[in-house]
Amino acid sequence: MVSKDDITITGSCRITGNSAFLNGEPYFSSAEKEAFPVFMKALYKKVGPGYPKFYKMDPLTKLGFISAELLLTDNARTGLYPEQSRGIVLMNASASADVDRSFQKTIEDKEDYYPSPGLFVYTLPNIMAGEIAIRHKLKGENTVFILPTFSMEFLTDYVDLLFETQKVTCCLAGWVEVDDKDYDSLLLILEKGGKKKENAYKLPFTKDVLENLYKPD
Amino acid sequence: MEALIEKLKKEIIEALNLEDIEPEDIKADDPLFGDGLGLDSIDALELIVLLEKSYGIKIEDPKDGKKIFYSLRTMAEYISSHQKK
């Protein structure tokens, strides 16, 4: 039987307000307050995954993808576990509303009615989870919850249940929210005890720790 | 024809968000799919929309897409022979 005490955070990525933090340390920050697309492109160049499909993604998927990219480079942690039991649990408040609105603009004028296939494919938040799953071979349980705010209690309870019922052996989990100009994410790598390979970054998976990682600068 | 090919390069880069690609990177006779630009099925649908929106050309039979979108030149030739407006 696994308790929450056995689950540890072995990686964290926080992105908001033109700054990205990896495992609590500043990773990248733009000098000036830039719009989300400009900041994301600069961060993509810094991370350098060489994945041109990134440019086709909607803003929500870009944020989730780049967060995962920072955390899962070379699958250093998730690679320790079987692909079929690597889970994803994501949460946000606006689902895919941001790209939904962009798509809506392509169909609202009957005289200029050209539905965009490239936008339509992202009009579900689960697509973000799918893109991450494909990229990093996370083939286990994957879920995206829509909640009014980042409920750390819900996240810890749900992930605990996944570990307890052995649905996952490691999990990428957290909050990824984009709505118009606002964006905000905290993504974590979670492992059961992290016993397979010690990791320098290791925090208990508790509400208090999550609040500390999520707090504004 | 060459002017149309150059115009198509810019339109395709913008429509398909090929941000790391410059117009000069796309050769007129290179395949757009597969080993060429590496476009996918969603890109193919966007190209169909591009033809209709920018040139008023509707592809009636999707099977024709493979020939029409083989390269920039085949696209330009199709547009030249089918454009009404």
Side-chain angles (χ1 to χ4, degrees):
Chain A
M1 182 70 71
V2 180
S3 75
K4 285 181 193 176
D5 295 337
D6 295 322
I7 302 172
T8 55
I9 299 168
T10 54
S12 74
C13 179
R14 175 89 171 104
I15 299 178
T16 192
N18 286 58
S19 295
F21 297 85
L22 183 60
N23 295 339
E25 300 293 325
Y27 176 82
F28 177 77
S29 186
S30 57
E32 295 175 17
K33 184 83 175 168
E34 292 168 329
F36 177 79
V38 178
F39 172 68
M40 265 297 117
K41 189 173 178 181
L43 182 55
Y44 171 84
K45 296 278 185 188
K46 163 86 173 169
V47 177
Y51 198 74
K53 197 182 177 191
F54 174 83
Y55 293 120
K56 299 173 188 288
M57 296 173 182
D58 73 305
L60 177 70
T61 307
K62 278 182 177 169
L63 183 58
F65 179 88
I66 212 73
S67 301
E69 204 66 25
L70 274 165
L71 282 172
L72 304 178
T73 304
D74 302 327
N75 285 341
R77 297 308 305 175
T78 52
L80 299 170
Y81 300 93
E83 293 176 2
Q84 302 295 339
S85 66
R86 303 175 192 166
I88 303 177
V89 179
L90 302 176
M91 307 161 71
N92 77 9
S94 303
S96 58
D98 190 81
V99 72
D100 293 352
R101 284 191 293 266
S102 298
F103 180 71
Q104 173 72 21
K105 286 177 187 166
T106 70
I107 59 172
E108 63 192 4
D109 183 354
K110 285 189 170 52
E111 302 301 315
D112 188 31
Y113 184 84
Y114 297 104
S116 166
L119 291 175
F120 181 73
V121 292
Y122 287 102
T123 56
L124 274 176
N126 308 61
I127 304 302
M128 163 179 55
E131 291 278 16
I132 295 170
I134 291 167
R135 172 71 166 161
H136 297 286
K137 295 185 170 58
L138 310 181
K139 299 180 181 176
E141 182 96 4
N142 83 68
T143 313
V144 179
F145 290 102
I146 313 303
L147 296 168
T149 56
F150 183 14
S151 172
M152 297 167 194
E153 192 169 2
F154 182 89
L155 183 68
T156 51
D157 283 349
Y158 186 77
V159 170
D160 181 49
L161 182 69
L162 289 180
F163 276 101
E164 192 171 331
T165 54
Q166 300 179 341
K167 298 283 187 195
V168 299
T169 52
C170 71
C171 190
L172 184 72
W175 175 259
V176 185
E177 164 72 0
V178 174
D179 191 19
D180 196 13
K181 293 172 184 168
D182 298 323
Y183 59 96
D184 181 35
S185 72
L186 173 65
L187 213 54
L188 310 164
I189 302 175
L190 302 170
E191 299 176 57
K192 191 175 77 175
K195 290 172 185 169
K196 284 195 173 186
K197 184 181 174 186
E198 283 303 316
N199 196 45
Y201 187 78
K202 192 174 179 181
L203 298 171
F205 183 48
T206 64
K207 188 167 173 280
D208 289 346
V209 170
L210 288 183
E211 282 174 351
N212 192 43
L213 290 171
Y214 187 64
K215 72 183 178 188
D217 303 325
Chain B
M1 182 65 68
E2 296 309 312
L4 178 55
I5 288 173
E6 290 306 310
K7 184 168 177 267
L8 274 172
K9 286 182 182 179
K10 292 172 186 167
E11 288 175 333
I12 289 173
I13 286 172
E14 186 181 346
L16 306 185
N17 293 318
L18 305 175
E19 295 197 21
D20 277 343
I21 306 282
E22 298 295 331
E24 53 269 29
D25 296 334
I26 312 175
K27 307 300 176 203
D29 295 302
D30 283 355
L32 292 172
F33 292 83
D35 293 336
L37 275 182
L39 305 185
D40 61 20
S41 56
I42 300 299
D43 295 321
L45 294 173
E46 286 288 0
L47 290 180
I48 291 171
V49 173
L50 172 70
L51 273 195
E52 192 174 345
K53 192 173 181 178
S54 301
Y55 299 95
I57 298 171
K58 194 165 188 172
I59 297 176
E60 300 296 344
D61 187 351
K63 288 178 188 168
D64 294 339
K66 199 169 180 179
K67 286 181 184 173
I68 297 166
F69 299 126
Y70 177 77
S71 69
L72 275 172
R73 191 174 304 282
T74 56
M75 251 186 104
E77 286 169 351
Y78 188 81
I79 291 169
S80 295
S81 60
H82 287 76
Q83 197 170 18
K84 291 172 188 168
K85 63 183 182 183

